[in-house]
Amino acid sequence: MNYPVIEFPWLGNGMIIAVIAIIHVIVSHGVAIGMTVLMVSLEYQGLKTNNEKLINVAKTISKWVLIITTTVGAMTGVGIWLVTSVIQPDSIGSLLRIFFWAWFAEWIVFITEVVLLIIYYYTWDTWKGAKRKIHFRIGVTLSIFGWLTAMIITGILSAKLTPGKWTETLSFWNAFLNPTYIPSLAFRTFIAILLAVSLISLPIRLLIKDKEVRRDVFKVFSFWNALTVPGVLITGIWYLLSIPDEAKDLIIWSTGMPENIFNMLHILGLALFLIFALWMAIKPERVPVILTIAIFFTSIAFIGEFEGVRESVRKPYIIYDYLYANGVEAAKVDKFNEEGYLANSAASPIKEVTAENQLEAGRELYKGQCIACHTVEGWRTKRNFGDRLEGWDEAALSGYISTLHETRPFMPPFVGTDDERDALAAYLIKVSNEGLDADLTQGSKEKDDEKEEQ
């Protein structure tokens, strides 16, 4: 409410953030952390058994880790900063005030990680003999720094759901070392390696024709599967037990699936991962292509779902008990209801609702309190007002807005005066019927004419 915002009317602001964030998580977890661990493990096994072919596989993997991390990973990392700054500026501003030094430290760690990765890749052919041990140690250090980035970022992300005593003390350490920090970090660590195995097994199966090499690679992967599959289950349950009950109640809702479909798909997915892990352990040279394809796409679907659920279960907050999803501070609701939302919005050029500017004021209220989750048009029928408000009138909608947070607890309460609530209802009815190109000035004039006639 204190900064201008940008709207993506058809796709939706939340979806823009979600797409970039999911791609970034796949790269930062599956490639920068998980694939690095697998790569270094292959080098270790190659050195231990004097298997040059296994070392060459690790070298090839390092090339793609370098390319993907420094392009897709870096671009989506910057992309998250860009889109959150223009879509949810109040949220990112609050997080920056809390976690500035943590983010600064993470940036230093990331730069170090990139430097180590460059050294690691470009010294494969130059560090021979005794220097190979140094090269391996560089790889181990690289793996540690990759994990350190997750260690720092997890403290920030988990604080959004469980800020703990921070809301009372405003202490950085209370926010960072929040109740879900350790279980979330443990869960993400196992997820990163399991995701890497799932993603890289497909190209390994398709591109490596030498069955002995493929067997040796999958033997290394099977070791990590034996650790990560039960690790994901145990830490996932631990994490689930750590989150607020209100968040647990929103898990299935946030996926958009009926409960029976949700349960069935997750049981099938778990069974698929268990079959994959057992097959790789028992017959590593004969892992079916169809199984690696299924695991590849299932892992992407699960990581996408996890990130979507993690964001959604915080509702109606974006920082639990502190900041609502639309950027309104929970502690200021009563003040805004009494003084008016627009009067306290630094981004709104309109400070008071009048007969002449009602629709324009409604647009400012929509921008400030609705577009974080909703659109006027768009592909998501549950989120766009053009579909949701069909058959409604202004009076009914205004009354509903006043109680929507009670009937739909995952939605933030409307904050503002009665006139502002009526203005928002009038605007939403206008644009849901006529679209974003509706003439708001003309609509206001028509209202004035009607009042004069009465």
Side-chain angles (χ1 to χ4, degrees):
M1 64 178 292
N2 294 314
Y3 310 92
V5 293
I6 292 176
E7 180 179 10
F8 296 89
W10 187 82
L11 191 59
N13 287 7
M15 185 55 63
I16 291 289
I17 295 175
V19 169
I20 297 174
I22 289 170
I23 295 173
H24 183 71
V25 167
I26 290 173
V27 174
S28 64
H29 286 49
V31 179
I33 299 174
M35 213 168 286
T36 299
V37 170
L38 299 181
M39 169 185 75
V40 175
S41 298
L42 290 173
E43 182 185 13
Y44 171 78
Q45 188 64 19
L47 292 173
K48 182 180 178 181
T49 59
N50 198 27
N51 188 335
E52 286 296 327
K53 291 182 179 180
L54 208 55
I55 292 174
N56 285 332
V57 173
K59 178 182 176 181
T60 302
I61 293 174
S62 70
K63 172 185 175 181
W64 290 104
V65 171
L66 175 63
I67 292 172
I68 296 172
T69 300
T70 57
T71 55
V72 181
M75 289 172 63
T76 52
V78 173
I80 291 173
W81 277 102
L82 177 62
V83 296
T84 52
S85 296
V86 299
I87 291 175
Q88 294 180 333
D90 290 287
S91 168
I92 201 69
S94 297
L95 290 173
L96 273 172
R97 287 191 291 273
I98 305 168
F99 296 112
F100 173 82
W101 289 110
W103 258 312
F104 179 77
E106 190 272 338
W107 181 78
I108 297 296
V109 171
F110 174 72
I111 294 298
T112 306
E113 179 188 355
V114 172
V115 171
L116 288 170
L117 181 55
I118 291 172
I119 293 171
Y120 184 78
Y121 175 70
Y122 283 102
T123 54
W124 276 107
D125 297 325
T126 56
W127 287 3
K128 300 291 186 179
K131 283 190 174 181
R132 278 194 162 182
K133 291 184 178 180
I134 300 175
H135 185 270
F136 169 70
R137 289 167 187 161
I138 292 289
V140 173
T141 307
L142 170 62
S143 300
I144 293 170
F145 271 80
W147 180 81
L148 284 175
T149 60
M151 185 195 77
I152 297 170
I153 291 299
T154 299
I156 299 170
L157 295 178
S158 57
K160 295 168 74 176
L161 177 60
T162 54
K165 294 182 179 180
W166 174 83
T167 54
E168 302 170 10
T169 65
L170 301 183
S171 164
F172 165 82
W173 290 112
N174 282 145
F176 190 83
L177 301 175
N178 60 82
T180 58
Y181 173 60
I182 298 300
S184 179
L185 179 60
F187 182 57
R188 285 179 177 275
T189 300
F190 286 113
I191 278 285
I193 301 175
L194 183 60
L195 177 62
V197 172
S198 302
L199 294 177
I200 202 172
S201 291
L202 178 58
I204 292 292
R205 179 63 181 82
L206 293 176
L207 300 177
I208 295 181
K209 304 303 181 182
D210 188 324
K211 289 185 179 181
E212 289 187 3
V213 176
R214 197 166 65 215
R215 178 200 61 200
D216 292 340
V217 171
F218 282 154
K219 277 186 177 180
V220 173
F221 289 1
S222 68
F223 165 79
W224 286 109
N225 266 339
L227 293 178
T228 56
V229 172
V232 165
L233 290 174
I234 294 168
T235 57
I237 294 171
W238 183 19
Y239 177 63
L240 183 64
L241 294 174
S242 304
I243 68 176
D245 291 336
E246 296 85 352
K248 291 189 187 77
D249 294 339
L250 293 179
I251 290 176
I252 296 178
W253 165 84
S254 64
T255 66
M257 291 185 279
E259 185 173 357
N260 59 335
I261 299 297
F262 175 89
N263 292 333
M264 181 185 70
L265 288 178
H266 285 78
I267 291 172
L268 289 175
L270 175 59
L272 189 63
F273 275 99
L274 290 173
I275 292 170
F276 177 64
L278 288 172
W279 203 309
M280 188 175 284
I282 297 170
K283 294 184 177 180
E285 71 281 359
R286 294 184 181 179
V287 178
V289 174
I290 189 66
L291 184 56
T292 60
I293 293 173
I295 283 293
F296 180 90
F297 288 105
T298 300
S299 64
I300 292 176
F302 272 145
I303 201 70
E305 180 194 66
F306 171 69
E307 287 301 306
V309 168
R310 182 184 62 77
E311 287 290 322
S312 296
V313 296
R314 290 199 308 269
K315 292 184 176 180
Y317 299 100
I318 197 163
I319 302 176
Y320 227 71
D321 294 327
Y322 172 71
L323 192 72
Y324 284 113
N326 53 18
V328 175
E329 289 185 35
K332 295 182 179 179
V333 168
D334 291 339
K335 176 184 177 181
F336 293 164
N337 286 340
E338 181 179 347
E339 299 176 3
Y341 175 87
L342 296 175
N344 287 279
S345 173
S348 174
I350 297 173
K351 301 301 179 183
E352 184 179 1
V353 179
T354 66
E356 292 75 21
N357 71 8
Q358 185 187 45
L359 293 178
E360 292 94 331
R363 177 174 56 192
E364 295 302 319
L365 290 157
Y366 162 75
K367 288 163 60 177
Q369 300 195 44
C370 303
I371 66 170
C373 301
H374 291 278
T375 59
V376 171
E377 304 159 333
W379 67 286
R380 300 184 71 181
T381 56
K382 289 185 177 182
R383 297 291 182 90
N384 83 71
F385 289 121
D387 289 322
R388 295 301 300 270
L389 299 182
E390 185 176 354
W392 286 69
D393 59 37
E394 291 181 25
L397 180 58
S398 180
Y400 177 68
I401 289 173
S402 66
T403 60
L404 60 83
H405 61 291
E406 297 171 358
T407 57
R408 306 175 75 80
F410 50 83
M411 292 189 67
F414 171 80
V415 295
T417 64
D418 292 344
D419 287 341
E420 288 177 335
R421 187 180 70 244
D422 291 341
L424 176 60
Y427 171 77
L428 293 179
I429 294 298
K430 177 78 171 176
V431 295
S432 65
N433 290 324
E434 300 180 26
L436 286 171
D437 296 328
D439 187 345
L440 304 184
T441 304
Q442 181 64 30
S444 294
K445 290 179 179 178
E446 289 173 357
K447 285 181 175 291
D448 294 341
D449 293 339
E450 290 175 4
K451 289 181 180 179
E452 289 178 4
E453 290 175 2
Q454 293 173 357

